[in-house]
């Protein structure tokens, strides 16, 4: 591996380093929750450019970083695209049922408030 | 009701005003999560003075206010004591299973990390 490829590796917590408080904090923002719902619905990796969020590119990058550093998503470069996927297996192993209950709650709230 | 008693009423969101993002944010702090776990374990109202948290009184008050204003707990004065209880019924009606899964996750993490 060259220095150039190493610098393009993104930092992730190991499964054992993931903390419930950090996961809940990551999920407590409307835009981050929206990203997680889209990733859960897609069931495969999505490019950051897939998400048309109503914020600047740097704010979008910030939200993805919070999700990655808390252990909610995994990100990797594939060529020029930065791809993101949920760490559902890690989260389910640590906190069984938690992610599903948050996703169900988010769906229920969106329906209740008439949001997408 | 006199003005004096009115000012001692504490503001709470109605059930329909409770938002998932606010609940997750309230639960994303270690001390607030600890308060919620104690309230869930007690299964009845507890006085704020019951909680021996390693922070100042004003920080403790802040944490209880975040929990109350997000709809996670209900607080009321009983004589000179400020009593707190979980709004489990409201949360379960809005987000079925969410609070339980967070409490289970918190228990699992505490056991894994050797914390109380």
């Amino acid at each position: 591996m060259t220095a150039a490829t190493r610098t393009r590796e993104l930092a992730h917590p190991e499964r054992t380093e993931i903390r419930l408080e950090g996961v809940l904090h990551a999920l407590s923002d409307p835009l981050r929750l929206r990203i997680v719902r889209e990733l859960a619905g897609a069931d495969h990796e999505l490019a950051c450019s897939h998400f048309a969020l109503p914020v600047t590119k740097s704010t979008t990058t910030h939200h993805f970083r919070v999700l990655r550093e808390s252990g909610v998503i995994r990100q990797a470069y594939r060529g020029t695209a930065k791809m993101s996927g949920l760490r559902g297996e890690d989260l389910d192993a640590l906190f069984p049922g938690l992610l599903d209950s948050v996703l169900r709650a988010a769906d229920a709230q969106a329906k209740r408030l008439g949001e997408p």
Side-chain angles (χ1 to χ4, degrees), chain A residues 43-85:
Chain A
D43 208 28
H44 57 78
E45 286 187 335
L46 291 174
C48 288
S49 58
H50 165 90
F51 298 86
L53 302 178
V55 290
T56 62
K57 190 167 180 304
S58 76
T59 300
T60 299
T61 302
H62 162 75
H63 285 310
F64 274 93
R65 191 174 62 239
V66 172
L67 288 168
R68 172 167 49 81
E69 292 182 347
S70 65
V72 175
I73 67 171
R74 192 172 287 284
Q75 291 190 291
Y77 287 103
R78 315 266 183 234
T80 57
K82 196 194 252 178
M83 304 299 292
S84 299

